[in-house]
Amino acid sequence: MIRLSKSFLGPQEKKAVNRVISNAYLGMGPEVKNFEKEIKEYLKTKSSVIAVSSGTAALHISLQACGVGVNDEVLVPSITYIASFQAISATGACPVACDIDLDTGFIDLNDAKKRVSKRTKAIMPVHYASDSSQMDMVYKFAKDFNLKVIEDAAHSFGSLREGKKIGFHGDLICFSFDGIKNITCGEGGAIVAKDQNIISSLLDIRLLGVAGDSNKRYLKQRSWNFDVHKQGWRYHLSDLMAAIGREQLKKIESFHSKRKEIVFSYIKNLNKREIKILNLDYANNHQHIFPIRILNKKRNKLKEYLENKGIQTGIHYQPNHLLKKYRTKYNLPNSEIFGEEILSLPLHCDLRKKDVKKIIQNVNSFF
Ligand SMILES: *Cc1c(COP(=O)(O)O)cnc(C)c1O
């Protein structure tokens, strides 16, 4: 079976994990501190990097640090991983599902405009399939309506916007390092934050609210006499995970070129008669997934066909506003079409040339 996605690790990660195990200090310590420092250097950003236990945790506490909570509303595209919605409802706020642009999967701001209310506090755009070309318009929109922006950049670690790495621009950018993202820690995430007050909130919130504990942990110490000002969560990253992430970060350029090669091979060779390639900035994105639209209601048949040929595919995503917990009273036509047409082809660093060829041949032969 050709897998849809896969972690890609080597002896370097094993060695790093062994180093941490030999130290017999697995919690948050110097590996986390170094990981944060190395991410900051990689992104060439002036903002701070705060490592957490998952991308979901990054989104959750970024919202909390912005003051989002009970009775508030947050605008979010319906087409995203369930994590975006759960992170919003975890704060007590209500996720307000917005429609998307069919050509990109990005939030449709004309639709979002209709959903702004007195309670709207923030907007969470998703860098769908690593693309954030329209982010300037989101910041303009947020300014017009006085909203906070929390960027769900789970897909886009290593991508460029206006010639700079994602995380260079913007207020609050959330990354995921789960098993299949552009780089992995096993499980992990990070927040890139600009505002000093938000940064100090985040540093405490990730460690159960224990004030000032981050600096102690970096030195393998902890506070015994402490105060707590805020609701916190046990969301810090462990040295074990950070050690894996540090090795992955060293390899990111090779991951990027591998993925890019596969993506451009798909774009060039797929028969586009009943397929729509999304209109994304493929040259500048570090593609996490490669979703395409399958027209004429053939998506499910193609999915099954490929499965039978030993090729796994994915659906990124079914619309969240159709789920029981998040069901809306209104329709989101583009999201509903997208949810029925979208199909992700395999994309990971362990795909061989002949796998890619087999995938392309089978998709084309189906049509
Ligand atoms: C992976 C992902 C997340 C959550 O990240 P985890 O590290 O899995 O918690 C959030 N949003 C999107 C769009 C994702 O793909």
Side-chain angles (χ1 to χ4, degrees):
M1 180 67 93
I2 298 178
R3 280 165 62 174
L4 170 66
S5 47
K6 195 175 173 191
S7 311
F8 192 66
L9 303 137
Q12 300 81 2
E13 285 84 354
K14 280 187 189 159
K15 204 170 146 199
V17 167
N18 277 331
R19 178 178 73 224
V20 176
I21 290 174
S22 306
N23 287 336
Y25 183 97
L26 307 190
M28 173 172 151
E31 296 283 346
V32 172
K33 184 180 181 179
N34 284 323
F35 187 42
E36 292 173 337
K37 181 171 148 277
E38 287 154 10
I39 292 173
K40 183 175 158 75
E41 286 164 3
Y42 170 71
L43 301 177
K44 296 192 168 69
T45 182
K46 291 198 185 74
S47 300
S48 291
V49 176
I50 298 140
V52 289
S53 55
S54 72
T56 311
L59 294 170
H60 178 191
I61 65 175
S62 293
L63 289 158
Q64 186 186 334
C66 286
V68 172
V70 178
N71 290 329
D72 295 330
E73 291 176 353
V74 179
L75 304 171
V76 59
S78 182
I79 297 293
T80 181
Y81 187 41
I82 180 64
S84 320
F85 275 68
Q86 287 282 12
I88 295 166
S89 53
T91 67
C94 178
V96 175
C98 300
D99 215 351
I100 53 139
D101 170 13
L102 265 181
D103 292 328
T104 59
F106 198 74
I107 190 167
D108 173 1
L109 293 174
N110 290 321
D111 185 77
K113 202 174 196 168
K114 293 189 239 161
R115 321 223 172 267
V116 175
S117 79
K118 282 204 289 280
R119 291 163 59 193
T120 313
K121 196 79 166 263
I123 181 166
M124 184 187 282
V126 175
H127 298 189
Y128 180 81
S130 312
D131 206 273
S132 62
S133 312
Q134 302 175 63
M135 197 57 65
D136 274 358
M137 318 240 289
V138 173
Y139 276 98
K140 187 176 176 304
F141 179 95
K143 205 171 165 198
D144 291 348
F145 293 99
N146 194 24
L147 307 177
K148 308 280 188 199
V149 180
I150 295 99
E151 298 185 39
D152 182 339
H155 292 186
S156 61
F157 191 74
S159 296
L160 296 174
R161 180 160 85 237
E162 293 162 28
K164 308 283 187 194
K165 293 260 157 54
I166 300 301
F168 179 88
H169 302 288
D171 297 337
L172 268 169
I173 297 93
C174 299
F175 293 117
S176 162
F177 307 128
D178 75 22
I180 57 164
K181 293 289 175 18
N182 287 347
I183 64 166
T184 187
C185 291
E187 296 286 355
I191 306 160
V192 182
K194 193 152 72 177
D195 179 273
Q196 254 334 305
N197 290 326
I198 299 240
I199 293 164
S200 53
S201 285
L202 289 169
L203 289 171
D204 291 349
I205 294 172
R206 74 165 164 184
L207 277 162
L208 289 166
V210 176
D213 210 23
S214 271
N215 281 324
K216 289 241 157 112
R217 295 290 180 115
Y218 292 142
L219 302 167
K220 301 192 186 182
Q221 297 167 2
R222 62 195 288 183
S223 318
W224 292 109
N225 295 301
F226 56 80
D227 201 4
V228 170
H229 310 280
K230 298 182 171 71
Q231 172 66 56
W233 310 91
R234 200 184 186 290
Y235 280 174
H236 56 280
L237 191 67
S238 82
D239 266 13
L240 201 54
M241 296 335 211
I244 298 173
R246 291 180 69 195
E247 294 305 319
Q248 291 264 297
L249 189 58
K250 290 181 197 162
K251 304 177 181 178
I252 191 164
E253 291 315 325
S254 73
F255 293 172
H256 190 171
S257 47
K258 179 86 213 233
R259 283 174 181 264
K260 202 172 204 165
E261 192 184 316
I262 299 164
V263 164
F264 278 101
S265 179
Y266 281 144
I267 293 173
K268 178 158 174 262
N269 297 305
L270 285 171
N271 180 341
K272 266 103 52 210
R273 209 166 335 133
E274 291 183 279
I275 286 177
K276 248 190 131 74
I277 307 284
L278 297 185
N279 183 20
L280 308 179
D281 187 6
Y282 294 103
N284 288 304
N285 291 346
H286 186 154
Q287 275 322 121
H288 160 54
I289 50 174
F290 186 72
I292 50 179
R293 282 170 56 203
I294 311 299
L295 307 179
N296 304 325
K297 303 204 183 304
K298 290 185 179 170
R299 195 270 310 272
N300 291 345
K301 283 199 194 83
L302 173 60
K303 189 170 197 317
E304 196 187 315
Y305 179 85
L306 294 174
E307 204 88 44
N308 288 331
K309 302 281 183 185
I311 299 164
Q312 213 175 41
T313 57
I315 296 174
H316 297 101
Y317 299 92
Q318 54 171 342
N320 282 283
H321 75 280
L322 302 180
L323 302 175
K324 189 168 174 202
K325 180 168 165 60
Y326 299 114
R327 179 103 46 175
T328 53
K329 293 197 178 74
Y330 51 85
N331 287 347
L332 295 173
N334 284 353
S335 302
E336 288 159 33
I337 293 169
F338 203 82
E340 284 173 8
E341 291 186 342
I342 207 71
L343 188 75
S344 295
L345 298 182
L347 182 59
H348 57 76
C349 293
D350 207 23
L351 277 179
R352 294 157 300 179
K353 276 208 169 69
K354 68 169 203 198
D355 297 327
V356 177
K357 209 169 152 193
K358 178 178 164 183
I359 295 160
I360 292 165
Q361 271 171 357
N362 276 288
V363 173
N364 288 345
S365 74
F366 170 83
F367 289 108

